[in-house]
C-alpha cells in the first residue's frame, strides 16, 4: 500500500504565459494585470529625469557653471517642471530655452508616462567670455 501525500495548502505559481488567478476580492472575475495596482513615481525622480533631459538638450555646461537643476510638482499624471540653467554669453538664449523645454517634456512623458503641460526655464547666470578673461588677467 503506497502512502498518499496530502495536497499542498500553498498554491503554486501560474505557469509563464498563463492568465493570473482571479483575485478573491472580486467575486472570481479575472482582473487584467494593468488594473491590479498603481505605480507611483516620486517628484524627486521626475526632477532627476528632467534635469538629465536639460543636460542632454544643452550643448555643454559653461566653464565654471553648474549643471541644470529641476524642481517638479506632480498632480495625478501631470508634471509641472521648473528648470534652472546657466548659459554661456553671448548665445541664442531663446533657442536654447526652447530646445530645453521641448526635450524635457518629451523625456518626462516617455520615461515617467506623465503629461507635461508646463516647463518653466529660469536662467540663473550668464557666463561671459569677457568676465572669464578678466578673472584670468587684465582685459584689453
Amino acid at each position: 500500500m503506497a502512502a498518499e501525500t496530502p495536497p499542498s495548502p500553498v498554491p503554486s505559481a501560474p505557469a509563464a504565459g498563463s492568465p493570473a488567478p482571479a483575485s478573491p476580492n472580486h467575486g472570481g472575475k479575472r482582473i487584467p494585470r494593468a488594473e491590479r495596482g498603481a505605480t507611483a513615481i516620486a517628484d524627486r525622480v521626475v526632477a532627476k529625469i528632467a534635469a538629465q533631459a536639460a543636460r542632454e538638450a544643452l550643448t555643454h555646461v559653461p566653464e565654471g557653471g553648474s549643471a541644470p537643476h529641476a524642481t517638479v510638482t506632480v498632480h495625478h499624471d501631470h508634471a509641472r517642471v521648473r528648470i534652472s540653467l546657466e548659459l554661456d554669453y553671448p548665445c541664442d538664449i531663446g533657442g536654447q530655452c526652447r530646445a530645453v523645454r521641448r526635450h524635457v517634456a518629451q523625456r518626462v512623458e516617455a520615461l515617467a508616462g506623465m503629461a507635461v503641460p508646463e516647463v518653466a526655464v529660469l536662467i540663473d547666470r550668464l557666463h561671459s567670455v569677457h568676465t572669464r578673461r578678466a578673472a584670468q588677467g587684465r582685459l584689453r
Side-chain angles (χ1 to χ4, degrees):
M1 219 164 130
E4 207 175 292
T5 58
S8 172
V10 179
S12 62
S18 67
S23 172
N25 297 335
H26 291 79
K29 287 192 317 186
R30 291 194 177 175
I31 300 171
R33 290 183 192 270
E35 294 177 13
R36 279 190 243 155
T39 301
I41 301 173
D43 292 9
R44 65 188 172 104
V45 173
V46 179
K48 287 182 180 186
I49 292 170
Q52 177 61 37
R55 279 191 290 278
E56 293 168 1
L58 295 174
T59 55
H60 68 283
V61 175
E63 183 182 326
S66 60
H69 177 74
T71 56
V72 175
T73 304
V74 176
H75 186 67
H76 298 291
D77 286 335
H78 292 75
R80 296 194 185 280
V81 181
R82 185 178 187 145
I83 303 281
S84 298
L85 304 174
E86 293 185 14
L87 299 174
D88 276 331
Y89 184 80
C91 71
D92 179 12
I93 296 171
Q96 288 195 2
C97 290
R98 269 190 304 281
V100 167
R101 267 191 223 98
R102 184 174 42 251
H103 194 65
V104 166
Q106 289 172 349
R107 297 297 284 167
V108 170
E109 287 177 18
L111 296 174
M114 297 180 179
V116 184
E118 178 183 341
V119 178
V121 179
L122 300 151
I123 308 301
D124 284 339
R125 181 179 290 164
L126 293 174
H127 294 268
S128 172
V129 175
H130 301 296
T131 57
R132 257 184 298 211
R133 284 189 201 149
Q136 293 172 351
R138 188 172 178 178
L139 181 66
R140 293 182 185 199

